[in-house]
Amino acid sequence: MYTTSRLARSHNGFRVDEQLQVITKMHVLLLKEPRDGETEPDPYIKELASHGHKATLIPVLSFKFVSLNTLSDMLFQPEKHGGLVFTSPRAVEAVKMCLEAEERREEWNSSVKDKWNTKSIYVVGKATAALVRNLGLNPLGEDTGTAEVLSRLIIEREDTNITPLFFPCGSIKREVLPTALRESGVPLETLTVYQTAEHPDLEKNLKNYFTEEGTPASVAFFSPSGVKFCLEVLRRLSGEHVTEIKFAAIGPTTQDAMTAEGLCVSCTAEKPTAEHLAVAMAKALQPQPL
C-alpha cells in the first residue's frame, strides 16, 4: 500500500480512494503460461501479491511435441552421449512423455537414469531443474539463468573429445549455446522435440483483459517469442497509454528483444525467478516523489 498526494488514473490499473488518496493495488499482466498440474497459486502471482499487486497470467505460446519416437530411442541409449542439456521446461516435458508407458518407466528407473547420472545433466533455471529432478536426474547449472552463462559452464567442464552432449530443444531456440559450444570444440547433438506457435486465444484473452481491467500498470514478458506475438496487440489495445506502462523482462535475452522493438524496459529480473521479478516490478511501480 502506497500513499500519494496525486490522483492516479484508473485506466492504468490503479485503484484510488479519492478521499484518502491511497493506492491499494496495481494490476499487472504476466505474459506467460501457468505451470502445468499445480494446485498452488502460480509463484509469480503469489510473489507479486506479497508486494501488494494483483497479477493476471495470459498464455502466449502453444506447443506441439514432435519426434518423440526418436527422442525415446536416444534417451534409452545413454552410452551414445556425453550428457544432457535442457534449456526449457517443455523439453523436459517431452522426455516425461517418452516415459509414460509403464515398461519404459520401469526401465528408466531401474537402470537408464543411473547411467545418465554418471554424466553431466545441464539446465538453465530453477523451473527446468525441478522438472529434471522429478525424472530422477541430477541437474547442474540451475543458477546460470541464461544459455550464454550455461554455455560457459559447459565449456569449462567438458573436454572436446567427449561423445556429443544431447540437447532436446524447441523449434525457435536461439543459437547462442550451440554456436558457443561449436566454436569451443565441444560436440553437441540437437533434436527438435517441440514446435512453438502463438496461443490460439492470445488476442481474445488480451482484449478481454483490457475490457475488464483497463490498461495494466505493468506488463512482464518472459521470452522473445512473447514479445513477437504480443507487442502489436498490446500497443493497439493500450493506445496512447502505452507509454505509461512499466514494461518488465524476465532476463537479458527478453530485454534485448523488447529493446529491439523500441520498448522502454523499466526493469529486468536479476535472476529468472518469481521472487526476483516481483522485487524488480515492485520497485519500478513505486510512486515517484513529487
Side-chain angles (χ1 to χ4, degrees):
M1 180 179 291
Y2 305 119
T3 59
T4 177
S5 59
R6 293 180 297 177
L7 285 178
R9 299 179 183 179
S10 60
H11 71 253
N12 205 28
F14 297 170
R15 295 294 179 266
V16 180
D17 183 312
E18 293 190 14
Q19 285 186 323
L20 297 178
Q21 295 181 321
V22 175
I23 302 173
T24 57
K25 186 177 290 185
M26 294 189 192
H27 288 222
V28 300
L29 180 57
L30 308 179
L31 298 171
K32 72 179 288 289
E33 292 63 42
R35 292 193 180 176
D36 293 336
E38 289 198 0
T39 55
E40 295 291 316
D42 185 275
Y44 288 88
I45 291 179
K46 191 175 179 181
E47 286 292 337
L48 281 158
S50 74
H51 290 274
H53 303 308
K54 180 185 176 184
T56 301
L57 300 182
I58 291 184
V60 173
L61 308 175
S62 63
F63 302 94
K64 177 184 177 183
F65 292 101
V66 296
S67 306
L68 293 184
N69 287 337
T70 303
L71 174 61
S72 183
D73 290 343
M74 299 175 83
L75 286 172
F76 282 83
Q77 301 178 73
E79 65 278 0
K80 292 190 175 181
H81 292 94
L84 289 166
V85 180
F86 295 106
T87 59
S88 73
R90 297 292 170 181
V92 188
E93 289 177 27
V95 172
K96 184 179 177 181
M97 292 178 72
C98 293
L99 305 178
E100 287 179 350
E102 185 176 351
E103 60 183 40
R104 280 301 217 186
R105 187 72 185 180
E106 288 178 356
E107 183 182 353
W108 175 265
N109 286 330
S110 64
S111 63
V112 176
K113 72 175 182 181
D114 293 331
K115 292 178 182 177
W116 279 116
N117 277 330
T118 66
K119 308 168 188 288
S120 297
I121 315 295
Y122 294 104
V123 302
V124 169
K126 293 187 180 297
T128 303
L131 292 173
V132 166
R133 287 193 184 93
N134 288 341
L135 296 175
L137 300 175
N138 302 321
L140 291 169
E142 65 181 279
D143 291 324
T144 53
T146 67
E148 289 93 331
V149 180
L150 180 64
S151 65
R152 293 200 291 269
L153 175 66
I154 294 173
I155 291 165
E156 287 173 5
R157 289 176 51 89
E158 301 294 344
D159 294 325
T160 56
N161 59 357
I162 62 166
T163 50
L165 298 172
F166 179 40
F167 180 27
C169 56
S171 56
I172 56 173
K173 73 177 187 310
R174 295 174 71 235
E175 293 298 324
V176 171
L177 187 143
T179 299
L181 297 194
R182 184 173 61 250
E183 290 176 350
S184 297
V186 177
L188 182 74
E189 182 175 357
T190 63
L191 176 69
T192 298
V193 296
Y194 66 92
Q195 294 174 339
T196 306
E198 179 180 323
H199 193 284
D201 296 326
L202 174 60
E203 185 165 355
K204 180 185 76 173
N205 290 339
L206 284 171
K207 285 180 179 177
N208 288 344
Y209 177 89
F210 273 76
T211 299
E212 294 170 8
E213 305 289 353
T215 302
S218 182
V219 175
F221 287 98
F222 288 75
S223 70
S225 301
V227 178
K228 173 185 175 183
F229 294 138
C230 294
L231 190 52
E232 181 184 345
V233 179
L234 278 175
R235 280 176 165 153
R236 187 168 73 246
L237 291 171
S238 54
E240 64 184 15
H241 303 305
V242 69
T243 57
E244 300 168 19
I245 298 172
K246 302 290 187 182
F247 286 101
I250 190 62
T253 303
T254 302
Q255 177 186 327
D256 290 346
M258 295 164 69
T259 303
E261 291 293 338
L263 281 184
C264 178
V265 181
S266 296
C267 62
T268 301
E270 186 179 341
K271 293 183 179 179
T273 69
E275 181 181 3
H276 286 91
L277 182 65
V279 167
M281 294 179 75
K283 185 176 180 180
L285 287 167
Q286 286 178 354
Q288 298 299 312
L290 291 174

